[in-house]
Amino acid sequence: MAEKNFMRKYQQTISNEICKSLHVAQRCKITKVNSDKTFDIQPLALYSDGTKRSKLINVPALFTPLKIKYDDNGKESYASLIADYQVGDIVEVVFDDRDTANFSGSKSYALTSSRMHNLNDAIIIGKIYDGKWEQNGD
């Protein structure tokens, strides 16, 4: 019986260690908007000892392009929307399954390492709704 308990504890320990090394998603706060339209972000979850996690720098953001079509006296017109991420926004960040260091544009790319679910491969996927909507001019 002692051997079963040992194996169960050993398997749980290994499982916990693997899960600790995986990065899937985190809540973060934008601390800087960079000129290349990337962001520096601070993860909000503290380590178990109460210390802050390291900032992630030059993180790109997912942008969902939307086009609004409206009719202006029989003519079709379009308005474009821009991503509105600002310092202080709380965002959700995910980490690509594989290394994205060589990614550029829309072409296939070669992996430069075997890293997986790594903090270096973060991307902002959206803002966390704070319960308020901004209304301009209304």
Side-chain angles (χ1 to χ4, degrees):
M1 189 66 162
E3 187 175 317
K4 273 188 174 180
N5 287 338
F6 170 77
M7 286 306 292
R8 187 175 296 128
K9 286 181 183 177
Y10 176 73
Q11 288 173 334
Q12 186 62 49
T13 300
I14 295 297
S15 177
N16 286 344
E17 290 305 312
I18 290 169
C19 288
K20 285 180 190 176
S21 68
L22 288 177
H23 302 286
V24 178
Q26 288 186 27
R27 301 273 165 111
C28 300
K29 181 183 281 191
I30 294 176
T31 59
K32 182 180 176 193
V33 177
N34 300 310
S35 61
D36 63 352
K37 296 187 171 99
T38 62
F39 304 88
D40 294 356
I41 57 177
Q42 175 65 57
L44 295 176
L46 302 173
Y47 284 112
S48 57
D49 66 0
T51 59
K52 284 186 177 184
R53 296 174 187 271
S54 297
K55 282 186 181 181
L56 305 174
I57 59 171
N58 299 323
V59 176
L62 179 72
F63 173 64
T64 304
L66 301 171
K67 197 185 293 185
I68 299 171
K69 183 171 107 172
Y70 59 94
D71 192 312
D72 186 19
N73 295 327
K75 265 182 148 177
E76 284 187 354
S77 299
Y78 294 92
S80 296
L81 302 177
I82 60 168
D84 183 29
Y85 292 109
Q86 299 175 17
V87 170
D89 286 345
I90 305 304
V91 294
E92 187 72 10
V93 177
V94 297
F95 305 93
D96 275 68
D97 289 338
R98 301 303 305 252
D99 168 12
T100 60
N102 262 351
F103 176 75
S104 178
S106 61
K107 296 181 181 178
S108 297
Y109 63 99
L111 299 175
T112 59
S113 72
S114 60
R115 74 178 185 227
M116 298 173 70
H117 302 282
N118 192 279
L119 295 173
N120 292 308
D121 302 309
I123 185 164
I124 296 169
I125 60 167
K127 288 184 187 183
I128 303 297
Y129 178 59
D130 63 2
K132 299 177 279 187
W133 291 107
E134 261 186 55
Q135 291 184 332
N136 295 322
D138 288 335

